[in-house]
Amino acid sequence: MSRFTITETGIEGLRVVRRQRLGDERGFLSRLFCAEELAPAGWRKPVAQINHTWTQARGTVRGMHFQHPPHAEMKLVTCLRGAVWDVGLDLRAGSSTFLQWRAVELSADNGNALLIPEGLAHGFQALTDDCELLYLHTEPYAAQAEDGLSATDPALGIEWPLPIALQSERDRHHPGIAPEFTGLDLNS
């Protein structure tokens, strides 16, 4: 019996992972990760890195981040405290959903996660103060491969639910999508 219910988002590989919570008067147990149970959803590599973020202020936007091949990574993003609007943006060359995005609310209350495949940029907006996220990555951070796009680029059309209250200096200076960008070639 799987402890996960997987829901499609309309972008190939971008999936919402709903965790089954087993609870009683003491509280609950929830399985955060199981490679075997997530394999049908596309998780096929070992976890190479786990990151934990804390975002202090509601309205803060982090992203849109990605790594170029051969360091492209799959991520499983979980909200441990607070709530976020979590966004995946398809950057894969030849994808039928190229430059489309989908977003879901992740929260400590709903216990959901977003499974983000290789070739998608990722970002989020804090819907509450004091948000904590846990990220599982299939590739370690590679400074030479890291990149990002402007979260406010009108060409991407990402609809943030709140006015943007704060972004890092780095994120504010990410470029918009270049007209000649044809996508990330994951086969290179």
Side-chain angles (χ1 to χ4, degrees):
M1 176 179 110
S2 178
R3 300 276 180 97
F4 305 112
T5 302
I6 309 299
T7 306
E8 302 295 330
T9 65
I11 293 180
E12 184 182 343
L14 183 66
R15 298 179 169 105
V16 178
V17 177
R18 174 163 284 125
R19 295 181 174 101
Q20 178 186 17
R21 289 181 172 175
L22 304 174
D24 57 26
E25 64 278 356
R26 299 167 298 165
F28 70 84
L29 170 102
S30 177
R31 181 168 293 161
L32 290 180
F33 179 82
C34 177
E36 181 180 331
E37 291 181 33
L38 289 174
W43 195 279
R44 290 181 176 68
K45 295 181 179 178
V47 173
Q49 186 169 297
I50 300 173
N51 293 320
H52 178 215
T53 64
W54 172 65
T55 303
Q56 181 176 353
R58 179 179 185 265
T60 299
V61 169
R62 292 182 185 242
M64 300 295 297
H65 305 142
F66 63 97
Q67 290 193 159
H68 288 273
H71 303 281
E73 60 189 336
M74 179 175 268
K75 297 177 187 178
L76 183 65
V77 181
T78 303
C79 185
L80 299 175
R81 182 165 46 153
V84 299
W85 182 250
D86 209 50
V87 178
L89 170 71
D90 193 347
L91 299 178
R92 297 171 291 192
S95 171
S96 64
T97 54
F98 180 62
L99 297 184
Q100 292 183 28
W101 61 272
R102 299 290 187 276
V104 297
E105 183 175 323
L106 303 179
S107 71
D109 290 339
N110 70 26
N112 293 340
L114 191 61
L115 183 68
I116 303 165
E118 297 169 343
L120 269 67
H122 172 253
F124 71 88
Q125 183 173 49
L127 300 175
T128 63
D129 290 337
D130 295 319
C131 292
E132 289 188 65
L133 297 183
L134 184 73
Y135 298 74
L136 281 66
H137 303 258
T138 58
E139 294 289 329
Y141 170 73
Q144 72 279 12
E146 102 172 297
D147 209 343
L149 292 169
S150 172
T152 59
D153 182 357
L156 300 177
I158 298 171
E159 297 172 10
W160 301 104
L162 302 172
I164 295 176
L166 185 63
Q167 286 183 284
S168 71
E169 184 75 19
R170 179 185 73 150
D171 285 353
R172 278 195 310 275
H173 290 95
H174 282 312
I177 193 81
E180 65 276 5
F181 180 69
T182 59
L184 299 175
D185 180 3
L186 298 177
N187 298 315
S188 61

